[in-house]
């Protein structure tokens, strides 16, 4: 899996990696590591002015790491938010000896204060564009009526309806938000639009209220009131009252819903709607890491129905999902099946085939791009034709595979390389500094490594013969790629103690004498070592823990 530098900025100063201790390390483990590094980097141990200066810099860095990790409060902040959390203003007023939960709460409070200062600059735009397409002539033509009309030999595909809606949120204060939304619709040459303004106030941690005003050319003015309230930690309800003014008078409406957590992954809903289309609806929704299941039953005017749907979530990089549902009621029966997949960092593409009586066969294509949704329902036939079902199923799949290989994949690869190059340029100065620190650390280690090797050789212990860290090319198809590794033989030998080398579960780039030779790319550590006069070899992932020597690392020799 590719490195996730694009999604989250990596903290260049990993104190745990620098100290080579576990994240759960005790105070005794921290002290032992600190003493060892102090003996290695103490400025008084080096007479050469240049080495003394380098040792002083590394000694100060180790001391800083130890000060943070040995202090319970600072360590809790660092564990949750990294080095940036320690640099945030406001910690000086926090009481000492707080728990991690209390520190998290305090940090979130400080964050909220910063967010409030930027509140006026933020909006949350959302939009939907829907284009309905009539493609029934592809499968169900009236040839006998139009055989004499020029151009009638080609099936006519028409756009018969469109809908566009957009909304933005404008925070007024920390608890008040204005929401402006509008929509335009057209179908078969007739259309209209509407505009709505809603004012929402968060009254407490348990609820909020919203007033809505609207107007349109198809319907008259609208006034609404919506209330949300948490009744218990596991139960909440919403109520929405609407007054719609029209030439026929005032048309009131009321919708009330109560929801409850049945267990960790399951929600139960009961909804009652009174007004233009009165109905009572109950549903159960279960959402887990690998699946999403829902079942609903509605009794109402004009439609009553029952629906069951299931969605399977694959744990792959593209977040692929397969889904299917069946819905049966007074209007008929509809079966839907489809899939959706992430095609880029912010885009999800989905396709659903709908087969119903008397609705016929339709193909629905949906693209979610950040907060924008593009929806294309394509009506293929009014009848249940096997050919329409086949092409609606196979057609999008073939087109997607072709587009993914010819367009999407090359584009994403180019974008990734572009962002990787940009990240390298931005971090070039920091990488150069880390390289210089690593080279200085290696120079300071030379005398210690010489003594360690002499001691290990005397008892036929652990000798690091060669060690490399970075990107190794093992795939034959990628032989033209440049191998990006650095020699870390000396730093690893320096970490050997009592014929053992133990590396914790952290990026090796933070170890003393290491740096990142290929920012943003997958890295490994390859070691060739000798133990009891026998050759061993091992390759470990960047964040994998490692303990040597091991019998499984032994290199088998012929004879």
């Amino acid at each position: 899996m590719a490195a996730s530098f694009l999604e989250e900025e990596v903290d260049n100063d990993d104190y745990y990696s620098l100290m080579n201790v576990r994240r759960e390390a005790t105070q005794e483990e921290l002290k032992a590591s600190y003493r060892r590094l102090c003996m290695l980097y103490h400025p008084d141990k080096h007479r050469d002015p240049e080495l003394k200066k380098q040792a002083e810099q590394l000694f100060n860095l180790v001391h800083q790491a130890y000060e943070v990790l040995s202090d319970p409060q600072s360590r809790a902040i660092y564990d949750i938010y990294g080095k940036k959390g320690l640099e945030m203003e406001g910690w000086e007023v926090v009481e000492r000896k707080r728990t991690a939960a209390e520190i998290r709460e305090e940090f979130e409070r400080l964050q909220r204060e910063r967010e409030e200062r930027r509140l006026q600059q933020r909006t949350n735009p959302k939009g939907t564009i829907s284009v309905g397409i009539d493609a029934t002539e592809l499968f169900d033509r009236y040839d006998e009526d139009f055989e004499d009309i020029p151009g009638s030999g080609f099936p006519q595909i028409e756009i018969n309806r469109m809908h566009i809606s957009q909304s933005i949120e404008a925070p007024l204060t920390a608890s008040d938000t204005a929401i402006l939304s509008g929509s335009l619709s057209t179908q078969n040459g007739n259309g209209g639009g509407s505009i709505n303004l809603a004012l929402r106030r968060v009254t407490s941690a348990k609820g909020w209220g919203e007033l809505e005003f609207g107007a349109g050319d198809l319907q008259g003015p609208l006034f609404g009131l919506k209330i949300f309230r948490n009744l218990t930690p596991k139960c909440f309800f919403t109520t929405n009252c609407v007054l719609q003014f029209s030439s026929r008078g005032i048309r009131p409406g009321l919708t009330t819903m109560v929801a409850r957590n049945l267990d960790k992954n399951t929600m139960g809903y009961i909804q009652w709607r009174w007004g233009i289309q009165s109905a009572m609806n109950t549903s159960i929704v279960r959402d887990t890491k690998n699946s999403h299941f829902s079942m609903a039953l509605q009794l109402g005017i004009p439609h009553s129905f029952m629906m069951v749907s299931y969605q399977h979530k694959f744990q792959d990089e593209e977040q692929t999902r397969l889904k299917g549902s069946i819905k049966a009621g007074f209007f008929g029966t509809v079966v839907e099946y489809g899939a959706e997949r992430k095609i880029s960092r912010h885009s999800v593409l989905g396709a659903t085939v709908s087969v119903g009586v008397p609705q016929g066969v339709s193909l629905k294509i949906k693209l979610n791009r950040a907060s924008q949704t593009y929806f294309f329902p394509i009506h293929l036939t009014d009848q249940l034709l096997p050919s329409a079902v086949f092409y609606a199923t196979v057609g999008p799949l073939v087109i997607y595979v072709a587009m993914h290989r010819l367009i999407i994949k090359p584009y994403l690869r180019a974008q990734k390389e572009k962002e990787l190059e940009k990240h390298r340029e931005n971090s070039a100065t920091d990488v150069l500094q880390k390289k210089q620190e690593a080279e200085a650390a290696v120079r300071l280690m030379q005398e210690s490594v010489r003594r360690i090797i002499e001691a290990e050789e005397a008892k036929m212990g652990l000798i690091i013969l060669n060690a490399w860290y970075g990107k190794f090319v093992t795939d034959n198809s990628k032989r033209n790629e440049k191998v990006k590794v650095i020699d870390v033989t000396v730093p690893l030998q320096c970490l050997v103690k009592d014929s053992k080398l133990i590396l914790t579960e952290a990026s090796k780039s933070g170890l003393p004498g290491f740096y990142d030779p290929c920012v943003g790319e997958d890295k490994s550590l390859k070691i060739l070592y000798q133990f009891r006069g026998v050759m061993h070899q091992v390759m470990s992932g960047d964040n994998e823990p490692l303990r040597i020597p091991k019998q499984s690392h032994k290199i088998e020799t012929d004879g």
Side-chain angles (χ1 to χ4, degrees), residues 3 17 40 62 151 207 247 249 263 301 304 327 337 470 482 552:
S17 182
L40 180 64
V62 170
S247 57
D263 62 34
I301 303 172
S304 295
K327 186 176 180 180
Y337 57 90
K482 184 180 178 181
S552 58

Side-chain angles (χ1 to χ4, degrees), residues 290-293 309-313 321-324 340:
N290 298 315
S291 64
H292 180 92
F293 172 81
S309 69
Y310 177 80
Q311 184 178 109
H312 183 76
K313 306 173 185 177
R321 300 187 178 189
L322 295 179
K323 52 188 178 181
E340 66 178 39

Side-chain angles (χ1 to χ4, degrees), residues 245-251:
F245 297 87
S246 67
S247 57
R248 299 180 180 180
I250 300 176
R251 304 167 68 178

Side-chain angles (χ1 to χ4, degrees), residues 94-109:
V94 179
E95 295 179 13
R96 309 293 292 179
K97 298 181 181 179
R98 286 195 171 192
T99 64
E102 291 172 330
I103 290 172
R104 181 187 291 272
E105 183 180 345
E106 185 66 22
F107 185 88
E108 290 173 352
R109 182 189 68 79

Side-chain angles (χ1 to χ4, degrees), residues 316-531:
D316 56 354
E317 190 176 356
E318 290 79 15
Q319 301 176 10
T320 305
R321 300 187 178 189
L322 295 179
K323 52 188 178 181
S325 68
I326 181 169
K327 186 176 180 180
F330 294 163
F331 55 81
T333 302
V334 177
V335 175
E336 292 188 344
Y337 57 90
E340 66 178 39
R341 200 175 198 190
K342 189 175 182 180
I343 60 174
S344 71
R345 191 177 177 187
H346 301 292
S347 301
V348 177
L349 179 64
T352 303
V353 179
S354 176
V355 182
V357 178
Q359 291 84 357
V361 181
S362 297
L363 171 63
K364 303 173 183 178
I365 298 174
K366 183 168 70 171
L367 174 65
N368 289 326
R369 172 70 178 172
S371 59
Q372 301 294 315
T373 301
Y374 305 89
F375 185 54
F376 303 92
I378 306 172
H379 189 50
L380 300 177
T381 175
D382 296 325
Q383 307 175 46
L384 291 183
L385 297 180
S387 59
V389 176
F390 174 80
Y391 284 109
T393 304
V394 176
L397 183 61
V398 173
I399 294 173
Y400 170 76
V401 171
M403 289 184 61
H404 187 264
R405 291 187 177 181
L406 300 177
I407 300 175
I408 297 175
K409 203 170 181 179
Y411 172 77
L412 293 178
R413 190 184 301 115
Q415 285 293 105
K416 184 177 178 181
E417 287 295 327
K418 184 178 179 181
E419 293 185 5
L420 179 59
E421 188 61 33
K422 183 178 179 181
H423 183 73
R424 286 172 182 157
E425 292 176 0
N426 293 338
S427 59
T429 303
D430 185 68
V431 170
L432 180 60
Q433 179 185 348
K434 295 294 180 183
K435 181 181 178 181
Q436 293 171 348
E437 289 177 0
E439 291 172 347
V442 170
R443 287 193 291 271
L444 296 171
M445 293 174 182
Q446 296 293 341
E447 183 62 27
S448 296
V449 167
R450 185 184 62 78
R451 292 195 299 267
I452 292 171
I453 291 177
E454 289 178 355
E456 293 294 326
E457 284 179 340
K459 57 184 177 182
M460 294 188 69
L462 178 59
I463 306 294
I464 307 296
L465 300 176
N466 289 108
W468 304 271
Y469 173 69
K471 179 183 178 182
F472 295 86
V473 178
T474 56
D475 190 345
N476 290 330
S477 63
K478 299 180 180 179
R479 287 294 180 185
N480 59 331
E481 292 190 16
K482 184 180 178 181
V483 178
K484 305 170 185 176
V485 297
I486 57 174
D487 189 332
V488 291
T489 307
V490 172
L492 286 184
Q493 186 68 65
C494 193
L495 293 173
V496 172
K497 184 179 181 182
D498 299 329
S499 298
K500 294 178 183 177
L501 173 63
I502 301 174
L503 301 180
T504 61
E505 188 176 352
S507 175
K508 311 295 186 294
S509 62
L511 289 170
F514 281 62
Y515 69 94
D516 192 341
C518 46
V519 176
E521 300 184 63
D522 291 331
K523 290 170 281 292
S524 301
L525 175 63
K526 186 176 182 180
I527 306 174
L528 179 67
Y529 65 92
Q530 182 177 296
F531 181 67

